[in-house]
Amino acid sequence: MQIVKISFIAVVVILLQACLSPSRLEETAIINTRGVDLVEEDGQRFIEATIIPYIFDPEAAESTSLLVGRGTTVKDARTNAEKQSPYPLSPGKINMDFYGEEAAKAGILPFLNTLIRDARVSDRMQLAITTKTAREFLEYKQEITTVNTTEYLQDLTKKEIDLDILPRNTLEYFTRLIRQVGIDPILPILGFHDEKPTITGAALFKEDKYVGEVSLMESFFINQLRKAVNETPLNARVPKENYKDMIAYESEPTEDEEFVYLSLNLSKGKGTIKLDDFDSLSFKADIKMRVELLETSIPMDIKTAETSKRLEKDIEAYYQAEYEKLFEKLQSHNVDSFGLGRKYVATRKGSKTTAKEWYEKYNNATMDFKVNVTIVNYGTID
Amino acid sequence: MRRRSTKQKNHPTFPLKLSELRQMLDSELINSQDLSFTVYKQANKKVAVFYIPYLVDQQKVEQLALQSLLDMQTEWTSDTILSEIPLALGKKDSDISSIIKKVTEGRICIYVEKENEAITYELAKSEKRGIEKAETESIVIGPQIALTESLASNLNVINMRVNIPDLAMERIDVGKRNPKETRMIYIQSIANETDVNTMRQRLSELEVDMIEDIHMLKQYILDSSFSVFPQYVSSELVDRSVYSLKEGKIVVLIEDSPLALIAPSTFFSFFESTEDRYFHWELSTFIRILRFIAAFVTILLTPMYVVATTFHFELIPSQLLVTLGESRAIVPFPPIIEVILLELIIELLREAGARLPTKVGQTIGIVGGVVVGTAAVQAGITSNILIILVTLSALASFSTPNYIMGNTIRLIRFPLIILAAYYGIIGLMFGICLLIIHLIRLQSLGRPYLAPLYPLRLADFNKVFFRLPEQYQGKRFLSYRLKDRRLFNRREATKKKDTY
Amino acid sequence: MKKTIQVPIHNQFRAFYMFFVIFSMQAGVGILGTPRIVFLEAGHDAWISIILTYLYVVILLMIMLYILRQYDNHDILGVQADLFGNFISKVIGTIYLVYFSLQLLSILVTYIEVIKVFVFPKSQSLILGLMLIIPVVYTLLGGLRVTIGVVFIFIFLTYWVLILLIEPLRQIDFLNFLPIMDRGISDIMRGVVANAYTFSGFEILFFIYPFVQGKDRMTKPIILGTSGISLLILLSTTIAIGFLSPDQLQRRIWPLLNLYKIQTSPIIERLDYVVIAEWMMVVLPKAILLMWCISYIAIRMYNFPKKASIYVFSIIILVCIPFFNEHFVIQKLIDSTKYIAYGLVYIYPLFLLPLVVIKKRVQRKKKGKNHANR
């Protein structure tokens, strides 16, 4: 008899909550890509949201279109953009989020706030900065590419991340670093090159503010100090005079060049940062790289272990110089992308270190780079 | 054929004249037109032989009874007839109503005029089919011999295979108006006594009118009549019964039913096939796991579709989202209607296929599956992804070896689909929780239905979820608390004594 | 009220299942928010607090077992009646009843809040409550065999979700734990106190003890049960501290669910939804056991009929659910439950212990005297 009673209650459940409104797949405009800009109009700052949703309308030729809305908050801008859409907008599937240069310089945390607060938003959403405003970027991109747009851009950045050139640009990772004392995040910058969307560089963030740009190569250097990297294509150059005896063949145009350019493949790389001296804030970075030599700009014969050592040494010197330049640049922006502060905080006992405290100390920090390169193979020839 | 019984007139008693006897038989029997009543004479003696022709073996009556009766040299009396006719099972009877009853059961009766007793001979013939291959539980390898409608031949078949002295075949007659012979078969030295007693009590205390088939009997003796889940395995395969006996279970047979009821059964025994034991152990482990996955898929696939399309599109992988969205956009119904519609079509196809003759059934299957499916997608009634999902889950449900269990699994999907449509993934979870609690509550012959999962008996896992090589399975089911758990000594069984 | 309880054999369960009972009772929704609650007090040394709490719980369990073993087949109500007399025992029993009801209400309400925040913002508490109460009632009507079965089976159906933490686990940053023992002892002890709500639940031992078969084999499953769940709490807290930055951890109400948000699979992209739904199977066993305790106390102290007690308390709790639909009201409920837990769960057994020891010693002496006199 209990079953009868229980099934009765079950029927009541079903009847009672017919009020739960479904959000059906085909009747929702699922936001796919979002762009946020800051625009100024009549002396007032507005947030402009550019939204590309999936709208599954059998009559429409394209399932993606572009909506633009303005408002004082991101949510307000979205509500205004929603007016152009036949279905309610839903943030559950935002795959990429773009910020225009202006917006990024003003700090993107306020824009992220709604995303973090909303549990439906995926934490694996990718973030990126655009060279122009996000709206221009998305509109232009919408015009010239016919392929599924967001996926194209996603794959574009994902490829670089898989190659360990860029650190992850997911929302979850970015928000983790943004408020972490002693480390600053990096995001990719997207722009156009030959009318095709390209990653043009990496944006340095100081907390949530975009303060400077580094090249992809430098972004790799930063990444190498954060985690173990592998299978990354690299470039290096060594002074030509050191290898006069090894040059196998020289053609006309390369004769005047001072350097031999090398194309390498990093098979394994890892950097560790150590706090050498707590009081004087001197850090030491130990970087180990195992590389494969793929190509030299001038054909060379590397016959002996000694020449190989020489080559390694020159590559080491090159990278070391690059690292030092990069560190200088970071310090000039007062950005701790390497994460030196984390070491400092982890070593310092007692009171909590605040971000402000650390940034003041950061410029006095010194760093000693020690790069160790091993060439593991030269391909089929030596 | 029933006697016109209730108002018993004053029965005339033996001795009788033959004409009186005839008269009386005509008035007592409802179907007296069928009665064959012949009178034979020898000197001054008259003998009446009467029987109902379609109940008896005519040939035997003529050759054995009549021939030898007429060839008799001695005088006809009850005693001489009984001793001279070469038939066993002859009985004297002096009560006319019992004679009438026996005639309706298919005996022939010989009465010598003015004697005090009549003689009845057992010459009944029951029409039955021969022993055939199993139809509903088709297996690929292994013995395929199936039980038939005849209890005697079933008993014979089983007894020939389990030829041990302590095989008990208890007879219990079930049914008040038309008692049917029911046999409760078990191996005395193995089967749990409590189980045997429970079964005996359930069968003998049954107060029902009449039982047509073992499935009816099964429903009367269920532990929980409100449950959709089958609680006893019924099988037509002889070796399934034999295996169950060996494992200490109780097999119940009933006259006129080609199936054996096996008790106690667990949820997992419905996913077992005798074939599993004939395959090599790796293979049967794989197949068994496949079946559980299939059942899981059947239950969850379409409800998950409803969940994803109605509430939580976030669950759908991004690559699939566009395809799914575009195919959903042309469908005019909400997902719940779409799914139920399609599931019902599949059920219709199955039902039509089962009811029609085999050849037509196949055609229906093809027509339904291919034509209706394609047409439905093209007409925009369903999305093509759903077609795949529904077919897949139907296919998975048919992989359950037990037909009834397969149907049950498909049935319990419908409430889950509805719950999913009303409360998304939480509603679905609610349904699943209730389902599992229900399974835990169920019992089969007083034994837990989910054994050996709960109560946990790790020792039985190798018989249920996977299989070990046969020589490692030296123990019977622990969950059933059998009298004798040991099958054989593992060390002895694994020793290879090849000397050459 | 009888002190000793005779339990029919079919209503008893093997000591082995005590593992699952203790495990389930200490789980529940608390584990979703624990990392943050401990972190707020003890900082990145939260894991030390958890280990300390665990040790304290183990000591408490041993004390509880010791108390119970002094009697034959008594539950706590019987022990109290023996020590303080029937009236006071009834009063404390009623406090237990209220405590269990609050505990049950708080876990249901918290889970409903999680559903509302993560899955269905517009859903109605009452219906969600009904969906949770119906399985509870359905299970309890099946008796203790079904209750233990549900607890047992649901554990296997749920804890596979912990495997999904593999991705956050791989991304743990050990720098987040440094420097070790940075916070003072007082902070860590405050963390221990904050753990009280999460770790409570093992007090069921006081009530379920008479139903266990093979009481002398009980210690191991109980200790293992509490160790198991403590290990899980420790693991999830460690992952949360290592993975999330301190700032994030301080602000996320259910950090564990945030950890699930970064895990994907090729078939189902968002596993956090699945985990939240699965969590129903973590909540239900605890709810079922709590409801069992409630109805058990009601039957034993007030001679309620069994079914009536289940129905009545279910309906009372169901009716209360819609009133707790704001975050801060729920927090208040949890806080008040916590305060009762401090007294009833964490201090009361310590108070009982000397009384039981003295009483038993006096009795033994009396017996000895009687012997001597004779």
Side-chain angles (χ1 to χ4, degrees), chain A residues 232-234 262-266 291-297 375 377-379 381:
Chain A
T232 316
L234 288 176
L262 307 173
S263 181
L264 306 168
N265 184 40
L266 180 77
V291 297
E292 293 160 24
L293 186 64
L294 301 179
E295 192 184 333
T296 50
S297 61
I375 301 179
N377 76 57
Y378 300 87
I381 52 167

Side-chain angles (χ1 to χ4, degrees), chain A residues 220 224 228-232 234 265-270 287-292 372 374 376:
Chain A
F220 161 76
Q224 186 169 236
V229 291
N230 52 33
E231 298 306 320
T232 316
L234 288 176
N265 184 40
L266 180 77
S267 69
K268 216 179 199 175
K270 182 156 176 53
I287 300 147
K288 286 203 174 67
M289 296 164 83
R290 291 164 69 81
V291 297
E292 293 160 24
N372 181 4
T374 324
V376 285

Side-chain angles (χ1 to χ4, degrees), chain A residues 43-176:
Chain A
Q44 204 191 340
R45 268 188 2 157
F46 279 108
I47 292 166
E48 190 176 70
T50 317
I51 288 165
I52 304 181
Y54 290 125
I55 295 171
F56 303 112
D57 193 345
E59 265 75 55
E62 280 271 342
S63 61
T64 49
S65 57
L66 199 124
L67 316 173
V68 181
R70 265 182 203 186
T72 44
T73 62
V74 185
K75 181 80 191 159
D76 188 26
R78 203 182 92 188
T79 319
N80 285 327
E82 200 164 11
K83 287 172 189 154
Q84 305 163 6
S85 148
Y87 303 125
L89 290 173
S90 164
K93 273 279 180 190
I94 305 183
N95 286 326
M96 279 208 99
D97 202 14
F98 291 100
Y99 297 94
E101 210 176 331
E102 285 300 309
K105 278 183 175 149
I108 64 174
L109 197 60
F111 312 134
L112 290 177
N113 221 328
T114 45
L115 297 180
I116 301 166
R117 213 173 273 279
D118 191 342
R120 304 184 65 172
V121 174
S122 168
D123 261 7
R124 295 173 65 91
M125 165 203 303
Q126 300 193 25
L127 308 177
I129 307 297
T130 54
T131 45
K132 304 176 212 165
T133 65
R135 180 179 176 176
E136 275 173 313
F137 177 78
L138 290 175
E139 272 175 350
Y140 190 52
K141 187 207 68 171
Q142 196 81 337
E143 266 172 45
I144 58 161
T145 46
T146 48
V147 285
N148 188 335
T149 47
T150 322
E151 230 161 87
Y152 180 81
L153 294 177
Q154 254 185 301
D155 291 345
L156 200 72
T157 44
K158 195 169 168 285
K159 186 198 75 203
E160 300 297 318
I161 291 160
D162 285 347
L163 289 174
D164 288 328
I165 292 172
L166 281 167
R168 264 179 305 140
N169 63 337
T170 53
L171 174 67
E172 139 272 317
Y173 191 60
F174 186 77
T175 46
R176 182 142 48 109

Side-chain angles (χ1 to χ4, degrees), chain A residues 93 120-121 124 176 342 350, chain C residues 173 182 243 262 269-270:
Chain A
K93 273 279 180 190
R120 304 184 65 172
V121 174
R124 295 173 65 91
R176 182 142 48 109
R342 303 269 295 129
Chain C
D173 189 348
D182 187 25
F243 179 77
I262 71 152
E269 196 166 277
R270 290 286 295 280

Side-chain angles (χ1 to χ4, degrees), chain A residues 181 207 334 353-362:
Chain A
V181 178
E207 294 194 311
N334 195 15
T353 317
T354 61
K356 210 177 144 202
E357 243 178 282
W358 170 244
Y359 281 123
E360 275 165 19
K361 290 207 167 114
Y362 177 61

